[in-house]
Amino acid sequence: MTAAIAEIDLLIFVPLEKVDVISCQESDLPNLRHEVNDILEDWIGDVSNEILEVSGTLENRKKQVLDKMLDMEK
């Protein structure tokens, strides 16, 4: 798996917002969503790839990713 991860040029991380914008009913296991978010957040700290953490609205996230990709092409 390490070799495969090394091939990734940019890792995009979309964490849960501080005020979660996705309403989650009890049946959707909101605690599990937070646990997975924490695990991923810890995991990305251990990889050496370039990481872009995006936040905000869907349009803002999209803009952040596209801007980063354009910057990487320079």
Side-chain angles (χ1 to χ4, degrees), residues 21 36 43-44:
V21 295
V36 170
W43 177 77
I44 64 170

Side-chain angles (χ1 to χ4, degrees), residues 36-67:
V36 170
N37 183 76
D38 293 343
I39 290 167
L40 289 173
E41 204 164 35
D42 289 342
W43 177 77
I44 64 170
D46 293 337
V47 298
S48 59
N49 303 61
E50 186 166 0
I51 299 167
L52 174 63
E53 185 173 320
V54 298
S55 61
T57 65
L58 180 58
E59 281 302 313
N60 287 343
R61 292 175 185 190
K62 179 179 160 182
K63 182 177 180 346
Q64 291 169 51
V65 171
L66 292 175
D67 287 348

Side-chain angles (χ1 to χ4, degrees), residues 4-27:
I5 291 173
E7 296 295 318
I8 296 172
D9 293 326
L10 178 63
L11 182 63
I12 310 294
F13 179 55
V14 185
L16 293 178
E17 300 285 334
K18 296 301 178 203
V19 175
D20 198 352
V21 295
I22 297 175
S23 64
C24 189
Q25 303 299 323
E26 281 300 315
S27 62

